[in-house]
Amino acid sequence: MPYVNIKITRDGVTPAQKAALIQGVTQVLVDVLGKNPATTMVVIDEIDTDNWGIAGQSVTERRRQG
Amino acid sequence: MPYVNIKITRDGVTPAQKAALIQGVTQVLVDVLGKNPATTMVVIDEIDTDNWGIAGQSVTERRRQG
Amino acid sequence: MPYVNIKITRDGVTPAQKAALIQGVTQVLVDVLGKNPATTMVVIDEIDTDNWGIAGQSVTERRRQG
Amino acid sequence: MPYVNIKITRDGVTPAQKAALIQGVTQVLVDVLGKNPATTMVVIDEIDTDNWGIAGQSVTERRRQG
Amino acid sequence: MPYVNIKITRDGVTPAQKAALIQGVTQVLVDVLGKNPATTMVVIDEIDTDNWGIAGQSVTERRRQG
Amino acid sequence: MPYVNIKITRDGVTPAQKAALIQGVTQVLVDVLGKNPATTMVVIDEIDTDNWGIAGQSVTERRRQG
């Protein structure tokens, strides 16, 4: 019955990559904890780089500075 | 003072349906716990079907397979 | 496939009240959006009153002030 | 290593305001708890006013009523 | 810079299993999206079975019914 | 109407420090966005170091390694 929320920057992640994330993370829960994949949910949130900060700066600013 | 976050797939839910969700969930908190609706918050997140996984597959894939 | 997270203060909510919250919120999603209850998850987080703030004060402080 | 999630209504918040939020909240964690800003993350979610409810009504409805 | 939140029932998961979850989920983000593990955070929430509902019932009730 | 969730490691943060976090973060939302503090909520989650991972390791392991 696990629920997993993955937050990543919005950077053109493809549907195939999202499917691989969902498959991979679900498999980790099966392998490590023996969870039932049928009731394992994964929700991916893509966050604009203006809206994600680290070290007191947005990712947009950090990338601009290189 | 409750805070409720509802995640659903992005499937054309209308403003009227969202209003009904907000009203209904708030009422449950009033009825069951006697919470004050004035400080009860509800936030609805609509998630693209590519970004929601269950049973190791995205909802997009599951719907395609019928 | 909805996922609902309810945050409330830790105030001695009973298992019966939690069961009523789970049942009530699930029913709202069935009634308003026709969601399948079998894949509707509800997670309740109980938050210590020191850890919940509103209006710039913790709930502990607010209650002390009456 | 703190992680902060800020949810606000989608109301035309500018990149400069978002940068100020990220900088300000990170500084609070440095000042109050001595946290390392380099590993402090802030994620801002902007929520449509149809999707945010308080007092049993969406923010859209509340604003319409003035 | 990903952030992952894993919610599981509180069922005596060991520190070694938690370490394996953290390692495994981080590796999925490295493998699928090429993310930098140094800034990948994973937070595990263990939820009491009274506080987790599926199909309108708490996990406690479901287990009692077998 | 903002909602802020702060996740930090469980490290003996005092009620006074929590109150300062709540006050400080609320003030940032007032200063930067002109939000109404009366409806600004802050929820602090304290996470066991076994349950928080960065760089593929739990914080417990990282601290043991110094």
Side-chain angles (χ1 to χ4, degrees):
Chain A
M1 221 152 341
Y3 170 82
V4 182
N5 180 231
I6 300 173
K7 290 188 197 293
I8 51 176
T9 46
R10 191 185 302 283
D11 278 315
V13 174
T14 65
Q17 288 174 313
K18 292 173 186 175
L21 276 183
I22 291 167
Q23 196 279 329
V25 167
T26 301
Q27 193 60 44
V28 171
L29 284 150
V30 171
D31 290 346
V32 175
L33 298 179
K35 294 294 184 183
N36 179 1
T39 53
T40 298
M41 280 188 194
V42 181
V43 170
I44 301 167
D45 291 325
E46 297 172 278
I47 308 292
D48 290 342
T49 57
D50 281 349
N51 291 24
W52 193 305
I54 189 162
Q57 282 193 304
S58 75
V59 173
T60 305
E61 293 171 289
R62 287 169 66 87
R63 290 186 178 171
R64 191 180 298 135
Q65 293 168 10
Chain B
M1 222 152 341
Y3 171 82
V4 182
N5 180 230
I6 301 173
K7 289 188 199 295
I8 51 177
T9 46
R10 192 185 302 283
D11 277 315
V13 175
T14 66
Q17 287 174 312
K18 292 174 186 176
L21 275 183
I22 290 167
Q23 197 279 329
V25 167
T26 301
Q27 194 59 45
V28 171
L29 284 150
V30 171
D31 291 347
V32 175
L33 298 179
K35 294 294 182 183
N36 180 1
T39 53
T40 297
M41 280 188 192
V42 181
V43 171
I44 301 168
D45 292 324
E46 297 172 277
I47 308 293
D48 289 343
T49 57
D50 280 350
N51 290 23
W52 193 307
I54 189 162
Q57 281 193 305
S58 75
V59 173
T60 304
E61 293 171 289
R62 286 169 67 85
R63 289 185 179 169
R64 190 179 298 135
Q65 294 167 9
Chain C
M1 223 149 340
Y3 170 82
V4 181
N5 180 231
I6 300 174
K7 290 187 198 293
I8 51 177
T9 45
R10 191 185 302 281
D11 278 315
V13 175
T14 66
Q17 288 174 313
K18 292 174 187 177
L21 276 183
I22 289 167
Q23 196 279 328
V25 167
T26 301
Q27 194 59 45
V28 171
L29 283 150
V30 171
D31 291 347
V32 175
L33 297 180
K35 293 294 184 183
N36 179 1
T39 52
T40 297
M41 280 187 193
V42 180
V43 171
I44 301 169
D45 291 325
E46 296 172 278
I47 308 291
D48 290 343
T49 57
D50 281 349
N51 290 23
W52 192 306
I54 189 162
Q57 282 192 305
S58 75
V59 173
T60 304
E61 293 172 289
R62 287 169 67 87
R63 289 184 180 171
R64 190 179 299 136
Q65 293 169 10
Chain D
M1 221 151 342
Y3 171 82
V4 181
N5 180 231
I6 301 173
K7 289 187 197 294
I8 51 177
T9 46
R10 192 185 301 282
D11 278 315
V13 175
T14 66
Q17 288 174 313
K18 291 173 186 175
L21 275 183
I22 289 167
Q23 195 280 327
V25 167
T26 302
Q27 193 60 44
V28 170
L29 283 151
V30 171
D31 291 347
V32 175
L33 297 180
K35 293 294 184 183
N36 180 2
T39 52
T40 298
M41 280 188 192
V42 181
V43 170
I44 302 168
D45 291 325
E46 297 172 278
I47 308 293
D48 291 343
T49 57
D50 280 350
N51 289 23
W52 193 305
I54 188 161
Q57 281 193 306
S58 75
V59 174
T60 304
E61 293 170 290
R62 287 169 67 85
R63 290 185 179 171
R64 191 179 298 135
Q65 294 168 10
Chain E
M1 221 151 342
Y3 170 82
V4 181
N5 180 231
I6 300 173
K7 289 187 199 294
I8 51 178
T9 45
R10 192 185 301 282
D11 278 315
V13 175
T14 66
Q17 287 174 313
K18 292 173 186 177
L21 275 183
I22 290 168
Q23 196 278 330
V25 167
T26 302
Q27 194 60 45
V28 170
L29 283 151
V30 171
D31 290 347
V32 175
L33 297 180
K35 293 294 183 185
N36 179 1
T39 53
T40 297
M41 280 187 193
V42 180
V43 171
I44 301 168
D45 291 326
E46 296 172 278
I47 308 292
D48 289 342
T49 57
D50 281 349
N51 290 23
W52 192 306
I54 189 161
Q57 281 192 305
S58 75
V59 173
T60 304
E61 294 171 288
R62 287 168 66 85
R63 289 186 180 170
R64 190 179 299 136
Q65 294 168 11
Chain F
M1 220 150 341
Y3 170 81
V4 181
N5 180 231
I6 300 173
K7 289 187 198 294
I8 51 177
T9 45
R10 191 185 303 281
D11 278 316
V13 175
T14 66
Q17 288 174 312
K18 292 173 186 177
L21 275 183
I22 289 167
Q23 196 280 328
V25 166
T26 301
Q27 195 59 45
V28 170
L29 283 150
V30 171
D31 291 347
V32 174
L33 297 180
K35 293 295 183 184
N36 180 1
T39 52
T40 297
M41 280 188 192
V42 180
V43 171
I44 301 168
D45 291 325
E46 297 173 277
I47 307 292
D48 290 342
T49 56
D50 280 350
N51 289 23
W52 193 306
I54 188 163
Q57 280 192 306
S58 75
V59 174
T60 304
E61 294 171 288
R62 287 169 66 86
R63 289 185 179 170
R64 190 178 300 136
Q65 295 168 9

